[in-house]
Amino acid sequence: MGRGGRFGGSVRCFLLALGIAGAGALPEPRAGLGVCGRPGEAAQVGEPAPAPVSFYFSLLPIQLQVSDSAARSLLVSVSVSSAGPVSCREAKPSGSRCSALCLYLAGCLAAHLITKQIQALEAQIIVHVSCGKEHSLAVCNRGKVFSWGAGSEGQLGTGEFKEQSLIPKKIDGLSALRIIQVTCGHYHSVALAQDGRVFSWGQNTHGQLGLGKESTSQPSPQHVTSLSGIPLAQVAAGGGHTFALSLSGVVYGWGRNNARQLGLNHANTRDYKDKNYSQVDGFQMQLQHGLEQKLFCFCSPDKALTFLVLVDAVVGVYVNMRSQGQGNTIHQMLSSERKEAISHALGICASPTEQVFKPYAVAALKTIGVVYISCGDEHTAVLTQDGSVFTFGDDSAGQLGHRSSTQMPGPQKVEWIDGPVSHLACGSYHTLVYMSASGQVISFGRGPQRHIENGTTSNPGEQTQNFDISSLVSANDLSGVQVKMIFAGTYVNFVSTLQSQDLEQARGISPADTLQKISRLDRTVIDKWMAVTAGTDEFQEAKREIAMIFSSPACLSASFLKPSSALEANCVGVDLQKARDVFDELTKKEWIVNQINYYLWADLIPDLPLRSPHHEALSIFLLLPVCSVMYKEQNLEPFVMRLAQAINSMSDRSSNILEECWSSLSASFLDNVVQMFKKAVVSQLPYYAFPRCRDTKPLLEVLEKLYKANRKANYTLQLSNFYINEISGTFILPNDVGRWRSWQATANPCHEDDVPIIFCRFPFIFNLVSKIHVFYFDSFFMQEGAKVEAQFILRQNELLRKSELPELPVFPLLVKRSNLVEDTLRKLSLVEDSVLKKQLLVQFEGELMGLDAGGVTLEFFLYVFEEMVNPQYGMFVYCDPASPMWFPTSILGIRMRSL
């Protein structure tokens, strides 16, 4: 259903579609699904199956020969009376040359095949096609998309809701892009561009466009921003639902989910049953076992508030909140923002699941290694790396292939298939699989519903016939040939094969191998770039490739993906060491450096995914700091400062995911990120007194996020890694303390953008010397300020002839020499904290009061320190005469406890 296809290389390109000749659109299906057997014979019924039934007619596989001597790029349509639409794809293994293309057709046909050339596309080399319910798409070798058929829902992408278009027309909204894949649902269309972006158009009644709930049906292609930055391998569409598969094997689904065809349900929480804690929206989460993995407990950091969250796939997320202090319980709905945060953390859909308007990662499919997806009307099948098939969604016709009469929620493996599956395709109500080991094409599900032989009325309640098929094409039917691809329409199926001379080259080809991939770096591309000569065609091609890859977060991330198995233990999905080595190699060529600089500045950094809830999309933020061009002095402002601004503009959820990824980095790569932003801060220090230094604030805010991430990681880096030593001993510190005090006195969140840079708001960047200076200047300013204020009040009272004296701006401390420490501590404990910030004025009892120029205060501290460090005093202990003193195990020793 909605299957797209690719024709490759020297194989001539054919589109085989069943419909009424010349109609343009493909009509509603009316005929049946064929089986292997003679007309009039009873079908062989496989499991799951009702009792065997006889049917009016069935067809043996029909072999069609399409000669390679045909025109270089001939596109034909196959029109079959009384048959429904079919979506076909053909591809060749790399390097093979096929002298002929064999198509085996199995289906219910009431008339002979009529092939006609589509004249409007005869000048194009078509490499990919897909058919919806009443419309079709074709992609040429230049990446341009053509559409024709019904367009009342905007599914043609021509910018208008047109009833139908009988002649293929180019979709202008995609003309600036190179499209590599298209897929059609009933009334919507989706395209994947070579730069990794996904576009959708057509009907959005069920959210199948992935544009959000507010978006209506779209007559022209729209960018699906929720998938930005994710390196995708495939897009697939069903009747009203859509999927995208990432190169890492993560499946994203959206659209109609009335039959759970998206795989979003209770089963998605299974991956979390062994995880006791996680962090969601500032609350600690604990999974409660024994309740079908649907109940979660969240605690606030201070333990003052807890609430139980019941996750229900149908009604959403409900909460039972309890205050620890009062012990009462309150039932309420979670806020939509927190509900969405919980949902993404658990890998479930928290909104009512009949319709999902934005892509969600299907948690139940994350760890099984999905390599290909196919969609039916309301069911979905996925193929894994080990050849297993998992199905989910509507099973009313047995199209999921499960033996049990009780349908289990979520994706389930089709256990009875004997052997690894090579190819997979879904029709509207049936599923096809091909097993290369046995040479069988197997189908399960049903064909069309036809009235019984003696039935004459067309009442919906009349008895109808279902076909359950076990072996559509047996090994004997394909003796001596190799199945290349299988295609499933609503009621008609195609099997394409290779001739015997091509069998060896075709072995191991899977549906995923036939799909065009988004652009990415590999060894071949790198070697080509390093070897090209300026002014040649190869040089221009290399520049175009650099522009594509270094303009796209998805393409750059795709270049350094880790194997899927490495993702389970770490949220960092890219190989940073490999990326560092490649970037170091590329930057040896000056022309490559210039190209990378331009496209990072002009395209990639402005297009960073700032609102994505998906880990894969945020890998680009880990890759950029290992790119050596980011550290060049001339790039600190255009690159690093703009990157910092982008990070600070991220949504809370995206920012939390990025901090989680930072926490997972090794010390080497985490320090790499820290040093990059520190270097950018240092480059701005000469401008401290100028307004432009205000741009340093985003850099410090990112460093603060990194500091918090390091703390969560139990201090992977030492605190000294965050120190900016260049600040020490400069004019900046006294000025900065003054700014800090002024900001504290007049802070206004509404005018935060007008506040000059204040380093004291980020104390983690200060080393010990800087902190001492900050404390000194802060106390000095406070003491001098108190004196100025007292002088002002005194003069004001003199003018007003008032006798009141202002508060003394110093702290007079009168102590006894004979009992100095105890007397000092007792008097300090009796004053307010604010008094301790004033300038200290010491006087010894019984001695003449005079002007203290600092000598009395110095003598006071020397005596206090000498007595407190004495071992007999008990404040410190000495393990060894040569070792440093230390505090005793008791808080302050015996003498201190007596105070």
Side-chain angles (χ1 to χ4, degrees):
M1 185 66 208
R3 290 281 309 281
R6 177 191 175 202
F7 301 85
S10 62
V11 176
R12 297 301 175 242
C13 306
F14 294 88
L15 170 66
L16 297 171
L18 280 84
I20 299 174
L26 298 175
E28 189 70 20
R30 299 190 299 274
L33 179 67
V35 297
C36 274
R38 298 293 180 185
E41 292 180 351
Q44 294 296 320
V45 182
E47 291 184 4
V53 294
S54 60
F55 52 95
Y56 286 97
F57 55 89
S58 63
L59 296 178
L60 282 168
I62 302 172
Q63 181 173 351
L64 306 177
Q65 291 287 345
V66 185
S67 174
D68 192 50
S69 62
R72 184 167 183 268
S73 59
L74 178 64
L75 190 67
V76 298
S77 67
V78 180
S79 177
V80 182
S81 170
S82 302
V86 65
S87 164
C88 299
R89 178 178 58 195
E90 179 56 30
K92 76 173 191 66
S94 176
S96 69
R97 297 192 59 84
C98 306
S99 60
L101 177 67
C102 297
L103 293 173
Y104 285 79
L105 169 66
C108 190
L109 306 178
H112 62 282
L113 292 167
I114 305 171
T115 62
K116 288 191 176 181
Q117 180 179 348
I118 299 178
Q119 297 292 334
L121 295 174
E122 66 175 330
Q124 307 296 331
I125 301 176
I126 302 301
V127 297
H128 191 94
V129 295
S130 183
C131 302
K133 192 167 187 177
E134 295 178 333
H135 75 291
S136 301
L137 299 177
V139 184
C140 72
N141 64 327
R142 295 179 294 109
K144 307 309 173 189
V145 183
F146 301 86
S147 63
W148 66 98
S152 59
E153 298 291 337
Q155 63 264 47
L156 297 183
T158 56
E160 56 185 348
F161 296 99
K162 189 175 182 181
E163 197 63 33
Q164 66 176 3
S165 175
L166 302 182
I167 300 175
K169 293 183 179 179
K170 186 171 72 172
I171 299 179
D172 293 331
L174 299 173
S175 58
L177 301 161
R178 188 180 184 91
I179 301 300
I180 58 173
Q181 293 179 35
V182 290
T183 183
C184 297
H186 276 343
Y187 304 109
H188 74 289
S189 306
V190 182
L192 175 62
Q194 194 171 19
D195 64 6
R197 286 184 290 174
V198 175
F199 295 83
S200 62
W201 61 96
Q203 188 186 79
N204 197 41
T205 306
H206 308 291
Q208 59 263 54
L209 298 188
L211 304 175
K213 187 177 294 187
E214 301 77 16
S215 182
T216 58
S217 297
Q218 299 294 322
S220 57
Q222 304 294 316
H223 182 203
V224 184
T225 56
S226 298
L227 295 172
S228 293
I230 300 176
L232 295 177
Q234 183 198 358
V235 288
H241 63 293
T242 315
F243 281 98
L245 173 65
S246 78
L247 288 167
S248 298
V250 180
V251 177
Y252 301 90
W254 63 97
R256 195 174 189 188
N257 196 38
N258 61 307
R260 304 297 181 262
Q261 58 263 51
L262 296 181
L264 299 171
N265 50 51
H266 301 319
N268 291 335
T269 61
R270 292 180 306 171
D271 294 341
Y272 295 86
K273 62 185 178 182
D274 296 324
K275 296 183 180 180
N276 291 326
Y277 293 96
S278 183
Q279 191 73 23
V280 178
D281 199 20
F283 283 80
Q284 194 73 15
M285 179 180 73
Q286 183 176 11
L287 178 62
Q288 306 296 305
H289 296 279
L291 291 174
E292 296 181 339
Q293 288 80 47
K294 293 187 294 185
L295 187 63
F296 299 84
C297 176
F298 293 78
C299 300
S300 60
D302 58 3
K303 307 298 182 183
L305 186 67
T306 64
F307 53 90
L308 297 178
V309 177
L310 177 64
V311 179
D312 189 288
V314 178
V315 299
V317 178
Y318 283 90
V319 65
N320 180 317
M321 185 175 291
R322 181 181 183 186
S323 169
Q324 294 282 14
Q326 301 176 2
N328 59 337
T329 300
I330 307 167
H331 291 273
Q332 66 174 39
M333 281 293 293
L334 280 177
S335 68
S336 58
E337 183 178 351
R338 182 165 287 158
K339 184 192 301 183
E340 196 169 355
I342 294 171
S343 304
H344 278 286
L346 301 180
I348 59 172
C349 176
S351 60
T353 55
E354 290 291 321
Q355 298 169 339
V356 178
F357 289 87
K358 285 193 175 182
Y360 273 76
V362 183
L365 298 175
K366 281 184 178 179
T367 59
I368 64 174
V370 176
V371 295
Y372 189 76
I373 305 173
S374 185
C375 302
D377 181 25
E378 292 182 351
H379 80 288
T380 307
V382 299
L383 181 64
T384 66
Q385 278 183 323
D386 63 2
S388 299
V389 174
F390 288 77
T391 57
F392 45 98
D394 177 34
D395 196 29
S396 59
Q399 60 264 52
L400 301 188
H402 302 317
R403 293 178 180 271
S404 174
S405 58
T406 304
Q407 185 175 352
M408 299 293 290
Q412 301 293 322
K413 184 177 179 180
V414 183
E415 300 283 0
W416 56 267
I417 296 179
D418 186 19
V421 171
S422 306
H423 301 277
L424 171 72
C426 289
S428 288
Y429 308 106
H430 70 289
T431 305
L432 296 182
V433 296
Y434 168 66
M435 297 179 293
S436 57
S438 64
Q440 281 188 311
V441 176
I442 294 178
S443 170
F444 40 91
R446 73 170 161 96
Q449 294 185 340
R450 294 181 57 86
H451 299 304
I452 58 175
E453 187 169 358
N454 55 2
T456 55
T457 65
S458 58
N459 245 323
E462 282 188 277
Q463 185 179 358
T464 57
Q465 245 182 343
N466 290 340
F467 300 144
D468 281 12
I469 302 163
S470 59
S471 181
L472 187 66
V473 179
S474 70
N476 292 333
D477 293 319
L478 297 177
S479 178
V481 295
Q482 171 74 35
V483 169
K484 190 176 182 183
M485 286 299 298
I486 58 176
F487 313 104
T490 304
Y491 305 117
V492 183
N493 306 288
F494 283 89
V495 176
S496 66
T497 69
L498 291 170
Q499 297 302 302
S500 55
Q501 63 265 31
D502 301 301
L503 294 184
E504 204 56 44
Q505 296 177 4
R507 297 194 190 283
I509 296 292
S510 71
D513 297 326
T514 68
L515 297 171
Q516 291 192 65
K517 303 295 191 295
I518 63 174
S519 295
R520 49 182 166 174
L521 283 167
D522 57 29
R523 190 70 256 168
T524 302
V525 171
I526 294 169
D527 291 342
K528 183 179 70 173
W529 291 357
M530 300 298 287
V532 296
T533 304
T536 63
D537 291 341
E538 291 78 9
F539 180 72
Q540 297 303 320
E541 177 63 22
K543 289 172 68 174
R544 285 191 291 269
E545 290 171 347
I546 293 174
M548 177 73 72
I549 293 172
F550 284 90
S551 294
S552 166
C555 291
L556 199 56
S557 296
S559 304
F560 305 106
L561 289 177
K562 287 181 178 178
S564 300
S565 58
L567 298 178
E568 298 177 15
N570 197 319
C571 71
V572 180
V574 285
D575 188 334
L576 297 180
Q577 185 58 55
K578 178 183 176 182
R580 176 185 286 174
D581 295 341
V582 168
F583 290 144
D584 288 345
E585 181 179 359
L586 291 177
T587 51
K588 293 176 182 178
K589 295 284 186 178
E590 190 63 29
W591 74 270
I592 296 181
V593 171
N594 294 335
Q595 292 291 307
I596 292 175
N597 284 345
Y598 176 78
Y599 290 106
L600 288 181
W601 172 80
D603 295 326
L604 190 141
I605 293 179
D607 198 34
L608 288 171
L610 306 180
R611 301 263 185 288
S612 178
H614 308 299
H615 279 79
E616 289 185 289
L618 303 180
S619 295
I620 187 65
F621 290 95
L622 306 178
L623 286 172
L624 286 176
V626 300
C627 185
S628 52
V629 301
M630 300 287 288
Y631 294 85
K632 294 189 175 181
E633 289 292 336
Q634 66 270 26
N635 291 340
L636 291 175
E637 186 169 339
F639 290 176
V640 181
M641 292 184 68
R642 291 175 71 199
L643 176 59
Q645 291 167 355
I647 292 174
N648 288 313
S649 300
M650 297 173 77
S651 66
D652 290 342
R653 193 186 320 144
S654 298
S655 182
N656 290 338
I657 293 173
L658 180 57
E659 289 184 34
E660 181 185 345
C661 291
W662 282 337
S663 299
S664 301
L665 292 177
S666 65
S668 171
F669 288 110
L670 181 58
D671 189 52
N672 210 60
V673 184
V674 172
Q675 298 310 316
M676 181 184 72
F677 287 107
K678 276 177 54 179
K679 187 174 183 179
V681 171
V682 171
S683 72
Q684 296 298 303
L685 293 182
Y687 310 106
Y688 178 81
F690 301 94
R692 66 170 287 183
C693 196
R694 191 175 296 145
D695 296 334
T696 309
K697 184 182 175 184
L699 297 169
L700 292 170
E701 289 174 337
V702 173
L703 281 172
E704 186 174 36
K705 292 176 185 288
L706 286 161
Y707 180 81
K708 292 178 180 177
N710 184 55
R711 186 171 59 195
K712 289 179 182 178
N714 293 321
Y715 297 99
T716 301
L717 299 180
Q718 295 184 3
L719 298 181
S720 58
N721 291 63
F722 292 86
Y723 295 163
I724 301 179
N725 298 318
E726 289 80 358
I727 295 177
S728 299
T730 66
F731 75 96
I732 291 176
L733 282 180
N735 285 275
D736 201 71
V737 172
R739 285 183 181 182
W740 181 40
R741 283 301 176 192
S742 176
W743 169 77
Q744 285 182 318
T746 60
N748 186 345
C750 298
H751 299 89
E752 187 67 25
D753 292 339
D754 299 327
V755 176
I757 185 64
I758 302 173
F759 290 112
C760 287
R761 295 175 66 180
F762 306 93
F764 60 88
I765 66 171
F766 293 143
N767 58 24
L768 179 60
V769 174
S770 296
K771 288 174 181 175
I772 292 173
H773 288 160
V774 167
F775 284 128
Y776 170 77
F777 289 125
D778 184 44
S779 60
F780 176 80
F781 289 149
M782 290 185 65
Q783 294 167 8
E784 292 303 310
K787 294 176 184 179
V788 170
E789 184 180 3
Q791 290 175 352
F792 174 77
I793 294 174
L794 184 61
R795 290 180 181 178
Q796 190 177 46
N797 289 346
E798 288 177 352
L799 292 174
L800 297 175
R801 299 178 182 275
K802 293 182 178 181
S803 59
E804 293 90 350
L805 294 175
E807 183 182 350
L808 199 62
V810 295
F811 172 31
L813 180 62
L814 184 64
V815 292
K816 300 176 182 178
R817 283 185 183 270
S818 59
N819 199 18
L820 184 60
V821 175
E822 285 77 1
D823 194 35
T824 297
L825 293 176
R826 182 179 59 83
K827 290 185 176 179
L828 289 177
S829 66
L830 298 176
V831 299
E832 298 290 336
D833 289 346
S834 59
V835 176
L836 300 176
K837 297 179 181 179
K838 297 179 180 180
Q839 183 177 347
L840 180 64
L841 185 62
V842 179
Q843 183 182 359
F844 293 104
E845 286 188 13
E847 299 183 8
L848 292 175
M849 182 180 296
L851 180 64
D852 182 14
V856 177
T857 303
L858 177 61
E859 182 184 13
F860 165 77
F861 279 108
L862 285 174
Y863 281 138
V864 170
F865 183 75
E866 183 179 2
E867 185 170 348
M868 294 181 78
V869 299
N870 193 314
Q872 283 72 36
Y873 185 78
M875 176 172 280
F876 300 100
V877 295
Y878 301 85
C879 300
D880 185 271
S883 67
M885 59 185 179
W886 197 246
F887 292 104
T889 53
S890 58
I891 298 176
L892 285 179
I894 298 174
R895 291 192 59 188
M896 294 302 294
R897 287 199 298 269
S898 65
L899 291 178

